[in-house]
Amino acid sequence: MAFKYPNPDAHAFLEEYRGKAFNGKWPTVVEMFDISVSRFGERPCFTAFHPKELHMSYNEVHEKVVQIANYLNATGVKKGDKIAVSGKNSPEWAVAYLAVLYAGAIVVPLDITYNDTDMETLMAFGGVSRIFIDADRIENIGTKTGKLSLVEKYCLEPNSKSYSYLFDLKAEGRYQAEKASEDDVAAILFTSGTTGVPKGVQLTHSNLVSDCYLAQRLMKLYPEDVFYAILPLHHAYTMLAVFFETISCGASCVFGKRLVVPQVLKELKMGKVTMFLAVPLLFNKLLSALMNGVREKGIVVYGLIRGLMGISGFLKKVFHIKVGKKWFGFLLKKLSLENARICICGGGPLPPSTFKMFNELGIDFVQGYGLTETSPITHLNPVEAYNEASVGHHIPEVEVKIVDPDSEGNGVIYVRGPVVMKGYYNNEEATKEVLSEDGWLNTGDVGYQKDGYLFLTGRAKNVIVTEGGKNVFPEEIEDHFQLHYDVDQICVCGYTLNAKDKSEGIAAIIYPSADCAKAHPDDLEAYINSIVMTVNRELQSYKKITKVIIAKEPLAMTSTKKVKRFEVRKDYRKELEG
């Protein structure tokens, strides 16, 4: 039976505006926001609670965006100029992003965690002429490499004495920007560090807007929805799936600046968030803390709750009867998810157990898949037909093929469609490595698909080749640790067993949680090894961990809370070779 997209009319309303507000197949980002302002002008758009409370309607956001874009044009910004935005999540960040596009320029979102030198390197490579940035970074940017002495700087916060605050930028008179077309580049997103030639993903207006609306064919969004932007906005996942989805459908967005659990729980509750998007690490921490609290009530209470969760999940999955929120509302309140309609996990693989348990608790919990190079969404689980083991069904107009599958059907995942990037900025060689002339993108991920649903195995570059010639993906093993509360971080990697035949053993570098280290001061290594033994019993023989390294310091992580595998391997090279 052919798959039926649950929300086939998601963007049918655009026909009303075709020929009036836009002329192409898709609106540009600017046109998309103009349409939403005309439909939802008085509705709430952006909200922040920290460090001070701020509420802005669509009309108010639009007024500021036009004001700032006019200033940019008045001071010389023209179509195709590159302007960076870098800072903690805030309404100002989003307004600056839109203002750059309204001025006809290209936005370059930069990770605020880059040091000054690395940020300047990327800005110089990208030809950035101006930057919107936080007050605590603005003084030093442009002073480290000598390449950016003339860069214009504007502050995203109102507490800089020397630089203009974003909302204060005004110009006398009206200046007309040269409009971008849907095929023009809207944003350049850097996906790697600053060693070698940087990889700046060029995403067009059409890439971003098509992805935004096509994803809605799999998931219904409402103007009454409240999204929560807690992951960094420079990252494609939050930029598209939170920021862009918000402004496409007239919803509102709460901006969180600090990925600290107590702050997150407070803002979820205060904002009455209905759409909560996060990464596996955060969802696993929330679930682990919740279930540990239930365990503390005793074996009888725990057994009763887990039994009822099983019944709830069965009724929901088989009969589409949702009783979880009624039965477990008191538990959801502890996670500040009593208002949540949908939770979406992205940015990495999630164990099916986590996926399943959130659904049992009454949350419509799904996961999706994509890359920065695909704008990023290519797959999403529909809440009406989710598969706990899958990262989702491909969105409309996206094609998927599995290249060189092994005996188990696992091969490299290739995708093609309107969401695929234009190419890497000023890096033709890297573009040709991943993007064919007929539009197929090599994702670098390995997996298989069934009935349009995609099942991930791991990253091709991370594969471990065992002594028996088996391919093992670290992510498969790491998934088994995600609900072990005592393991704060884990990095599974290969270590050399036989240099001659290049076979590898499987090592786990583990950083224990603070509670675990405190509870086991004298037998920490033995206790962690016992957890590894428990996980090994769940694994096939060739996937078992044969070396355990206890990390004394937290493992290096990206701003989206992924372990930096290459850096960790380098940090523990001696232990892996010893």
Side-chain angles (χ1 to χ4, degrees):
M1 184 183 294
F3 179 84
K4 291 184 178 180
Y5 289 96
N7 190 27
D9 300 323
H11 46 85
F13 74 92
L14 288 176
E15 293 307 315
E16 179 185 341
Y17 295 90
R18 193 180 302 278
K20 301 172 186 176
F22 72 100
N23 294 309
K25 179 178 180 181
W26 298 102
T28 63
V29 176
V30 170
E31 292 163 343
M32 179 179 76
F33 190 62
D34 279 343
I35 291 169
S36 288
V37 172
S38 71
R39 299 175 74 202
F40 309 107
E42 296 302 322
R43 289 196 59 80
C45 186
F46 296 154
T47 297
F49 296 115
H50 183 83
K52 66 177 183 178
E53 200 159 327
L54 176 64
H55 301 272
M56 301 179 74
S57 69
Y58 273 81
N59 284 336
E60 289 168 335
V61 171
H62 185 260
E63 181 182 350
K64 284 296 181 186
V65 166
V66 170
Q67 169 194 314
I68 297 158
N70 190 53
Y71 169 86
L72 292 173
N73 290 137
T75 54
V77 170
K78 58 187 183 301
K79 183 180 178 182
D81 285 354
K82 286 94 175 177
I83 301 178
V85 180
S86 183
K88 296 177 285 294
N89 291 0
S90 66
E92 288 92 339
W93 192 103
V95 168
Y97 187 109
L98 290 171
V100 171
L101 298 182
Y102 268 69
I106 296 169
V107 66
V108 182
L110 292 174
D111 189 342
I112 195 63
T113 64
Y114 283 135
N115 62 46
D116 294 338
T117 300
D118 288 348
M119 191 175 291
E120 288 187 24
T121 299
L122 294 178
M123 289 170 65
F125 176 80
V128 168
S129 59
R130 307 186 186 208
I131 185 169
F132 294 91
I133 193 167
D134 286 349
D136 60 346
R137 299 293 303 277
I138 198 166
E139 290 286 350
N140 290 331
I141 288 298
T143 66
K144 300 296 182 182
T145 63
K147 300 175 182 178
L148 297 169
S149 58
L150 298 179
V151 71
E152 293 281 341
K153 300 185 279 190
Y154 310 108
C155 195
L156 291 173
E157 298 170 310
N159 54 349
S160 172
K161 295 179 181 179
S162 306
Y163 296 91
S164 298
Y165 172 45
L166 170 77
F167 286 171
D168 293 334
L169 298 175
K170 294 179 182 178
E172 295 295 329
R174 188 76 177 91
Y175 295 81
Q176 189 63 45
E178 184 181 353
K179 290 186 176 181
S181 73
E182 63 175 319
D183 295 323
D184 287 330
V185 174
I188 299 174
L189 281 67
F190 286 100
T191 64
S192 60
T194 53
T195 56
V197 181
K199 291 164 70 175
V201 176
Q202 299 179 100
L203 297 178
T204 66
H205 286 266
S206 180
N207 287 152
L208 295 166
V209 175
S210 66
D211 200 30
C212 184
Y213 284 124
L214 291 173
Q216 291 178 38
R217 298 267 291 275
L218 278 156
M219 181 174 291
K220 181 76 171 174
L221 301 179
Y222 301 94
E224 295 78 19
D225 275 323
V226 180
F227 285 77
Y228 183 43
I230 185 58
L231 300 174
L233 277 162
H234 76 271
H235 193 274
Y237 174 33
T238 313
M239 186 186 72
L240 193 291
V242 178
F243 174 30
F244 274 45
E245 294 291 6
T246 292
I247 62 173
S248 74
C249 67
S252 63
C253 182
V254 173
F255 294 86
K257 285 195 172 186
R258 300 167 62 222
L259 190 52
V260 177
V261 171
Q263 184 75 24
V264 169
L265 298 182
K266 182 180 178 182
E267 291 175 340
L268 284 171
K269 194 177 292 289
M270 291 177 67
K272 297 183 179 178
V273 171
T274 66
M275 302 292 295
F276 182 30
L277 287 79
V279 290
L281 178 69
L282 183 53
F283 281 123
N284 284 320
K285 279 194 171 186
L286 292 175
L287 187 60
S288 293
L290 181 69
M291 298 316 295
N292 277 348
V294 174
R295 283 191 187 91
E296 290 173 1
K297 300 294 183 183
I299 188 71
V300 175
V301 172
Y302 180 76
L304 177 63
I305 293 293
R306 292 297 286 118
L308 288 173
M309 285 173 63
I311 295 170
S312 168
F314 176 78
L315 292 173
K316 184 182 184 195
K317 182 81 172 175
V318 178
F319 299 107
H320 302 288
I321 298 172
K322 299 180 181 181
V323 297
K325 277 200 170 183
K326 287 184 179 179
W327 290 1
F328 308 114
F330 68 102
L331 290 177
L332 294 176
K333 280 187 177 181
K334 293 180 181 296
L335 299 181
S336 297
L337 292 178
E338 63 268 32
N339 296 300
R341 187 170 71 84
I342 297 175
C343 288
I344 303 176
C345 185
L350 186 77
S353 54
T354 301
F355 196 151
K356 182 178 180 181
M357 288 171 72
F358 269 107
N359 274 292
E360 289 174 344
L361 289 168
I363 298 288
D364 280 334
F365 188 98
V366 298
Q367 62 178 324
Y369 169 76
L371 309 170
T372 303
E373 289 86 345
T374 60
S375 303
I377 306 169
T378 62
H379 291 74
L380 186 64
N381 263 286
V383 296
E384 300 85 354
Y386 61 87
N387 185 317
E388 291 106 340
S390 169
V391 292
H393 192 283
H394 65 79
I395 66 174
E397 300 186 27
V398 166
E399 301 173 79
V400 184
K401 66 179 180 181
I402 306 298
V403 175
D404 297 329
D406 61 17
S407 59
E408 297 177 350
N410 288 305
V412 179
I413 302 162
Y414 281 68
V415 297
R416 181 168 67 176
V419 303
V420 173
M421 68 171 180
K422 190 172 185 176
Y424 294 118
Y425 178 74
N426 279 356
N427 197 337
E428 188 176 346
E429 183 180 348
T431 300
K432 287 181 177 179
E433 286 179 5
V434 299
L435 192 59
S436 68
E437 290 186 4
D438 58 351
W440 284 103
L441 177 78
N442 180 345
T443 68
D445 285 326
V446 174
Y448 65 96
Q449 61 175 339
K450 182 178 180 183
D451 300 326
Y453 284 81
L454 183 66
F455 300 80
L456 283 188
T457 310
R459 292 288 292 174
K461 65 181 181 181
N462 297 335
V463 68
I464 300 168
V465 182
T466 69
E467 198 169 21
K470 292 282 191 179
N471 289 343
V472 177
F473 295 92
E475 298 88 347
E476 286 184 288
I477 300 172
E478 289 165 354
D479 281 352
H480 288 264
F481 287 88
Q482 289 196 35
L483 289 181
H484 281 276
Y485 187 69
D486 289 327
V487 174
D488 193 54
Q489 296 172 295
I490 181 168
C491 178
V492 171
C493 52
Y495 67 96
T496 303
L497 277 179
N498 189 318
K500 186 177 180 180
D501 62 15
K502 297 183 179 179
S503 64
E504 298 176 292
I506 299 172
I509 303 167
I510 293 174
Y511 180 65
S513 69
D515 289 343
C516 175
K518 187 176 180 180
H520 299 274
D522 301 319
D523 64 338
L524 182 61
E525 185 173 345
Y527 181 72
I528 293 298
N529 273 298
S530 72
I531 294 175
V532 172
M533 288 174 62
T534 299
V535 169
N536 271 345
R537 285 195 286 269
E538 302 169 1
L539 300 171
Q540 293 164 278
S541 58
Y542 65 91
K543 295 180 181 178
K544 294 184 186 298
I545 295 164
T546 51
K547 176 178 283 195
V548 179
I549 300 167
I550 310 295
K552 292 182 170 57
E553 301 290 337
L555 306 182
M557 299 190 83
T558 68
S559 56
T560 51
K561 303 305 176 186
K562 290 182 184 176
V563 169
K564 293 182 177 179
R565 203 176 296 275
F566 177 78
E567 286 191 24
V568 172
R569 283 186 62 98
K570 186 170 65 174
D571 291 343
Y572 289 89
R573 185 177 65 251
K574 289 183 179 179
E575 290 90 337
L576 290 170
E577 293 175 352

